[in-house]
Amino acid sequence: SLTLDLKEYTIQASSTSEYCMFKVNGSGKFTIQGNGTIDASTGGADVRTAISVEDTTASVNIISGTIIGKYRGVEVQKGTANISGGTVQYTTDMDTSSAVYISGKSSSAEISGNAQIVGKNAAVRVYGGKLNVKDSATLEGNFGVMLFNKNSQNSDKVPHASFTMSGGTITATSGFALSGNNLQSAQCSAKITGGKLEQTSGETCIYWPMEGNLTIGGTAVVEGGSAIEAKMGTIEIQGNAQLIGNGKYLDEEPPHGYSQADGSAILVSAQMYGANNGQYIDSPALTVKIEG
């Protein structure tokens, strides 16, 4: 176990660094505090991430400081990341980039306290792992949280991503605050009981084109050009949740292959997907339940 007090110092990757600056494996526990910086963006071509957690019993605990990756700030292949403060970000935009990257059945991350997660493409990508957001944490990027199956395929034999949120704010500046993919995200799930998800450029806030359960309740707030657009899955709205569609009203059929905000609180685009094999595991049906 190791506690690193950065104080005001900066640690940079060298031109010969491997794919990560800090690797946490075995039963290692790595705690980071102080107001300094871990910067992997200066490393050679092979350096992709600042911190990588790689064993089911390993963990990283980020209390404060700034973590900068080239493609990923914190990557959890196995084990746990607890981010309760500080800032996690990255510098190079690509399709699989994210400030926090969670991959595998035995991987999880909790983002809490006053932590700030900043992504160019996405704040967090989850492939078969678990993500929990709470307290006053903030996540921001072109996309917020993206949910996928491990190995990026629709199969009941691969792990499915899951997401829970009881507080904090997720902001998407051009894409979706929460989303998945009809070919890669079947049976992923999300349960949101507090906090706010927002889309600031007029697009849909939560895009749910896949088989899987989405529950929004408690005091959660979802706001965008359309608050939710769903094409498959089970959507449950409960309690005192607020869904706000603030976009221009469009009185036309929704598009098949992509999302288009139309001012709705809930845009129910049933049967837009699911006609082909591989787009779902058990059922292409879309069910919406509203209570309270």
Side-chain angles (χ1 to χ4, degrees):
S1 297
L2 173 68
T3 296
L4 174 62
D5 189 345
L6 291 165
K7 298 189 182 296
E8 304 291 338
Y9 292 99
T10 295
I11 302 174
Q12 293 181 312
S14 73
S15 60
T16 58
S17 296
E18 296 185 6
Y19 66 93
C20 67
M21 289 180 65
F22 291 90
K23 181 191 299 183
V24 190
N25 56 19
S27 57
K29 300 186 187 307
F30 185 31
T31 300
I32 299 167
Q33 61 189 40
N35 296 318
T37 301
I38 295 174
D39 185 0
S41 68
T42 61
D46 293 333
V47 181
R48 71 173 185 236
T49 187
I51 301 167
S52 180
V53 185
E54 302 183 2
D55 200 289
T56 56
T57 54
S59 63
V60 62
N61 181 26
I62 300 173
I63 298 173
S64 56
T66 300
I67 313 300
I68 304 173
K70 186 178 293 183
Y71 302 112
R72 298 162 188 170
V74 174
E75 181 173 351
V76 187
Q77 300 182 38
K78 294 179 182 178
T80 304
N82 296 303
I83 307 171
S84 58
T87 301
V88 181
Q89 60 192 69
Y90 65 96
T91 60
T92 304
D93 192 11
M94 59 182 294
D95 287 345
T96 58
S97 294
S98 60
V100 177
Y101 187 93
I102 307 166
S103 177
K105 180 178 180 180
S106 302
S107 61
S108 64
E110 181 172 278
I111 302 171
S112 62
N114 62 353
Q116 300 179 61
I117 310 300
V118 182
K120 288 177 174 292
N121 182 286
V124 183
R125 287 176 176 267
V126 188
Y127 290 83
K130 297 178 180 179
L131 171 66
N132 182 37
V133 175
K134 64 181 187 178
D135 300 331
S136 300
T138 59
L139 289 72
E140 181 176 348
N142 288 341
F143 291 82
V145 173
M146 306 181 79
L147 305 178
F148 302 102
N149 296 324
K150 178 63 175 175
N151 300 328
S152 298
Q153 59 183 347
N154 286 343
S155 168
D156 57 3
K157 296 180 175 151
V158 301
H160 313 298
S162 64
F163 169 55
T164 55
M165 180 178 180
S166 58
T169 303
I170 300 176
T171 302
T173 56
S174 62
F176 313 114
L178 174 63
S179 61
N181 185 287
N182 68 304
L183 297 175
Q184 303 175 31
S185 306
Q187 296 189 2
C188 291
S189 62
K191 185 173 184 179
I192 302 163
T193 57
K196 182 175 184 178
L197 294 91
E198 59 183 4
Q199 210 293 334
T200 59
S201 64
E203 303 299 328
T204 296
C205 185
I206 296 180
Y207 184 47
W208 200 264
M210 69 275 197
E211 177 189 18
N213 294 330
L214 169 63
T215 302
I216 301 174
T219 58
V221 177
V222 179
E223 183 170 4
S226 288
I228 299 174
E229 180 175 353
K231 301 192 178 191
M232 281 192 283
T234 299
I235 317 299
E236 297 188 49
I237 311 301
Q238 306 169 347
N240 295 313
Q242 298 181 57
L243 277 62
I244 303 166
N246 58 25
K248 180 181 178 181
Y249 173 63
L250 299 178
D251 187 13
E252 57 190 55
E253 180 178 317
H256 283 252
Y258 59 94
S259 167
Q260 178 174 283
D262 71 346
S264 298
I266 307 175
L267 173 56
V268 183
S269 308
Q271 306 304 321
M272 291 292 180
Y273 286 132
N276 300 319
N277 291 333
Q279 293 189 344
Y280 62 93
I281 296 172
D282 292 328
S283 171
L286 173 57
T287 301
V288 178
K289 303 176 182 179
I290 302 175
E291 298 177 344

